[in-house]
Amino acid sequence: MRLSRRGLILGGSALLAGCSSAASTSQLQLAGAVAPTLPIVPERAHTAHVQMADAGTTIDPHGIVRPDLIERARAAMDVHGHKISKRDRMYLVDFQKFSGEDRLYEVDLEGGWVTAYRTSHGRGSDPAHSGYAQQFSNRPDSHMSSIGAYATAGASWGSQQGPNVLLDGLEYSNNLARERAIIIHGADYADPAFLARQGKLGRSYGCFSVSHADLVPLRERMGEGRLLFAMT
């Protein structure tokens, strides 16, 4: 795959920080969902759960994704239309959900189907490692996840995390994503074997880490100019 010079420069230099950086700005904290006990999550046989919608039906007819998450994401797509050049599919992250559950969704806006994946949150968002993200920040070195609308910026490769997808934050809550090296990358702590041992995924430095197997289709399909929207 040919990568643009811009992608190589921005991706390579940013990833030297390994999902973190050294500047400082104001912190954003939001309440997250916390459960008293952790659910038992069985090991999944396949890397992704897919449900197909019949041709001509509405988006996500089986209700895999929270309706308000879809609505907020579609509104963000309109607000940031100048940055979202491709509208065939979008990517959603539900940070209300436990890290061992599917909570990263690829939503096909033409066919209606949804593909669900698992993704990690930042260690600063979950200091007790409960499996639930409880606070969010755009501040470098916070190691927290950031919420809001992102534009995918294409496949890249970094010296620390290897193959990845670059992201540009579009809102005040995540506009330092490039500075913080917030990307989508594969990680051992997001693989099914880790989940089977620990009962939850490990934590990133704020990146949307996924299993190595799930990164392959995501990296190929996300491309440039598609919406990723994360909320609690």
Side-chain angles (χ1 to χ4, degrees):
M1 178 181 297
R2 289 182 63 86
L3 301 180
S4 67
R5 183 172 180 272
R6 176 176 179 271
L8 286 171
I9 293 173
L10 292 177
S13 61
L15 292 179
L16 292 176
C19 298
S20 63
S21 67
S24 62
T25 60
S26 60
Q27 179 174 335
L28 170 71
Q29 290 191 341
L30 300 175
V34 180
T37 58
L38 298 180
I40 298 174
V41 182
E43 183 172 4
R44 182 169 51 179
H46 303 287
T47 59
H49 176 61
V50 182
Q51 284 192 328
M52 299 295 294
D54 295 332
T57 58
T58 58
I59 300 300
D60 188 24
H62 301 288
I64 299 172
V65 187
R66 289 163 44 199
D68 61 325
L69 177 51
I70 293 178
E71 292 172 7
R72 288 279 300 278
R74 298 191 80 164
M77 185 174 286
D78 291 335
V79 170
H80 302 289
H82 60 298
K83 295 289 188 180
I84 307 300
S85 59
K86 296 184 177 66
R87 301 192 172 204
D88 53 345
R89 50 186 175 268
M90 64 182 179
Y91 297 85
L92 311 179
V93 178
D94 185 352
F95 276 134
Q96 282 190 7
K97 298 185 73 174
F98 178 65
S99 70
E101 298 179 86
D102 294 333
R103 58 179 182 173
L104 166 61
Y105 308 101
E106 178 182 295
V107 181
D108 188 296
L109 296 173
E110 297 173 343
W113 54 264
V114 173
T115 307
Y117 303 90
R118 298 189 181 106
T119 187
S120 296
H121 52 250
R123 62 178 60 239
S125 293
D126 179 15
H129 202 185
S130 67
Y132 289 91
Q134 301 172 47
Q135 52 190 4
F136 302 87
S137 177
N138 192 34
R139 179 172 57 83
D141 291 331
S142 66
H143 297 168
M144 294 186 194
S145 296
S146 297
I147 57 175
Y150 298 80
T152 62
S156 186
W157 191 92
S159 59
Q160 290 192 5
Q161 307 300 347
N164 62 77
V165 180
L166 300 175
L167 297 171
D168 287 323
L170 304 180
E171 300 179 346
Y172 76 94
S173 57
N174 63 11
N175 60 8
L176 297 180
R178 283 296 187 107
E179 180 180 344
R180 297 180 62 208
I182 301 302
I183 57 175
I184 299 167
H185 66 83
D188 293 344
Y189 56 77
D191 281 337
F194 186 97
L195 176 62
R197 292 193 306 270
Q198 302 293 328
K200 57 194 169 190
L201 299 190
R203 298 163 297 171
S204 69
Y205 279 3
C207 292
F208 298 93
S209 305
V210 298
S211 73
H212 292 288
D214 288 347
L215 179 65
V216 176
L218 287 169
R219 189 168 183 260
E220 179 181 354
R221 292 177 60 78
M222 281 185 158
E224 296 185 41
R226 292 187 173 90
L227 177 74
L228 183 146
F229 188 80
M231 66 176 279
T232 58

